[in-house]
């Protein structure tokens, strides 16, 4: 989204939770300003559960949010995440 002439219809980035990126909101704003009609992120939801202001900011940008869950099994949750996160999620 950083170029002035946007020709891409979609961008799908993976490799970490986007809500941890310090410039996420600015990047989404840039996409909107350049005419990208649909912006979306996929997150494990942890930061969203802890930061209601971020949820409000994403909503103000009309960002679509997909939640990703690894498991509902407590043992697998600890093994995959290094902590018990089921209740938080």
């Amino acid at each position: 989204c950083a170029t002035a002439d946007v020709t891409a219809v979609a961008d799908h980035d993976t490799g970490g939770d986007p809500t941890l990126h310090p410039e996420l909101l600015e990047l989404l704003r840039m996409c909107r300003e350049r005419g990208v009609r649909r912006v979306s992120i996929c997150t494990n939801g942890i930061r969203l559960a802890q930061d209601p202001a971020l949820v409000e900011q994403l909503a103000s940008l009309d960002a679509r949010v997909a939640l990703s869950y690894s498991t509902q099994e407590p043992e697998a949750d600890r093994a995959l995440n290094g902590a018990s996160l089921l209740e938080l999620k």
Side-chain angles (χ1 to χ4, degrees):
C1 293
T3 63
D5 297 323
V6 176
T7 55
V9 195
D11 179 33
H12 182 78
D13 299 314
T14 61
D17 196 295
T19 62
L20 299 178
H21 193 288
E23 297 180 28
L24 172 65
L25 295 171
E26 181 59 27
L27 293 169
L28 295 179
R29 278 188 201 97
M30 288 170 53
C31 289
R32 284 287 188 213
E33 289 169 1
R34 286 166 173 78
V36 177
R37 292 188 313 259
R38 179 185 294 179
V39 293
S40 61
I41 62 169
C42 184
T43 174
N44 62 21
I46 293 171
R47 181 152 179 231
L48 299 180
Q50 298 170 332
D51 189 351
L54 177 60
V55 174
E56 291 295 324
Q57 291 170 310
L58 290 169
S60 74
L61 291 166
D62 197 26
R64 295 173 184 236
V65 177
L67 297 175
S68 173
Y69 293 100
S70 304
T71 183
Q72 290 294 324
E73 299 295 326
E75 290 176 20
D77 180 53
R78 280 189 298 280
L80 290 168
N81 297 304
S84 296
L85 302 175
L86 289 178
E87 192 169 320
L88 178 60
K89 289 182 174 186

